[in-house]
Amino acid sequence: MSDHPAEAPAVLEFVAENVKRLRNERQLTQQQLADQSEVSRRMVASIENGQANISLAKLNQLAMVLGVTFSEIVRPAIDNTTQSEQILTWKGAKAGSEAYLGCSVISQNEVELWSWKLAAGDFYQAEPDPQGFYEMLYIIEGVLHLELSDQTHVLQVGQSISYPSDQRYRYVNQQTSPARFIRNAVVLRSN
């Protein structure tokens, strides 16, 4: 899953199986899923065939329509809810840029824990999430430029930030060494 061209991660296999299984369980056609998630039918068909690379935001839209969490749609189908293995969900254009979903917990709100590594000179361009989504970043190595719609924040080791992710944002590594950071994605659901 990438927002710029790169080698597709193996997680697309799980996504293909999960989307098709969940869509069939909910007795939705590909067109119905496409209409409800605002993802094209052609993209839904390509995802189910394991041939499409979809943005993280669009994949989350599919998960919401299918009534599951983001982590449930990207991981292998398992019988228990314990998730001890990190799941590769994004690879950048440059070797060494990658994001792993560490875990998520379902409560009244959904929270996801991610481990990111962004190679020197690489970036990740995100699409806006729905309203009620927030992110928290904590830098553990290097320097990360977080470009939000209204300003750019330069974050160094030990610094953190939180912001609503219902806007376009971009992670950029302008340095000559990798940037590593922890990302928490929080979904605040209204009752």
Side-chain angles (χ1 to χ4, degrees):
M1 265 135 277
S2 174
D3 284 331
H4 57 78
E7 176 187 331
V11 72
L12 290 178
E13 248 177 69
F14 306 134
V15 171
E17 293 169 8
N18 290 335
V19 168
K20 188 171 189 173
R21 176 182 49 80
L22 292 164
R23 181 181 59 76
N24 287 330
E25 286 174 3
R26 281 139 186 86
Q27 299 179 338
L28 294 172
T29 65
Q30 287 181 343
Q31 188 62 58
Q32 289 169 324
L33 178 58
D35 292 345
Q36 291 178 35
S37 64
E38 299 180 0
V39 173
S40 74
R41 192 209 58 78
R42 187 171 162 187
M43 176 62 79
V44 170
S46 293
I47 291 165
E48 288 187 1
N49 289 323
Q51 299 171 343
N53 203 359
I54 184 172
S55 73
L56 301 177
K58 294 283 187 201
L59 186 56
N60 195 59
Q61 287 173 228
L62 288 173
M64 288 173 64
V65 169
L66 293 168
V68 296
T69 64
F70 178 86
S71 62
E72 289 174 291
I73 209 165
V74 299
R75 70 178 179 219
I78 53 176
D79 293 332
N80 59 48
T81 57
T82 303
Q83 186 181 336
S84 59
E85 192 174 312
Q86 293 191 355
I87 302 166
L88 176 64
T89 56
W90 178 82
K91 286 187 77 120
K94 303 202 181 242
S97 290
E98 53 201 25
Y100 290 85
L101 176 61
C103 57
S104 69
V105 175
I106 301 171
S107 63
Q108 178 145 3
N109 300 317
E110 182 181 344
V111 179
E112 298 172 351
L113 174 67
W114 296 73
S115 170
W116 278 77
K117 181 178 177 185
L118 200 59
D122 209 355
F123 69 94
Y124 170 75
Q125 176 69 56
E127 295 179 35
D129 290 316
Q131 188 172 4
F133 282 57
Y134 293 83
E135 289 195 357
M136 298 178 287
L137 303 181
Y138 177 76
I139 310 307
I140 54 178
E141 180 184 334
V143 177
L144 180 72
H145 287 71
L146 171 64
E147 297 176 359
L148 300 175
S149 56
D150 59 347
Q151 68 184 103
T152 298
H153 300 269
V154 180
L155 303 167
Q156 299 185 17
V157 173
Q159 292 184 311
S160 59
I161 189 170
S162 64
Y163 55 93
S165 57
D166 60 353
Q167 60 184 312
R168 287 187 69 80
Y169 61 94
R170 193 164 105 128
Y171 306 147
V172 181
N173 182 356
Q174 298 179 359
Q175 306 301 307
T176 57
S177 59
R180 291 181 46 235
F181 55 100
I182 301 299
R183 170 185 172 239
N184 284 338
V186 181
V187 181
L188 300 180
R189 301 194 193 282
S190 57
N191 292 341

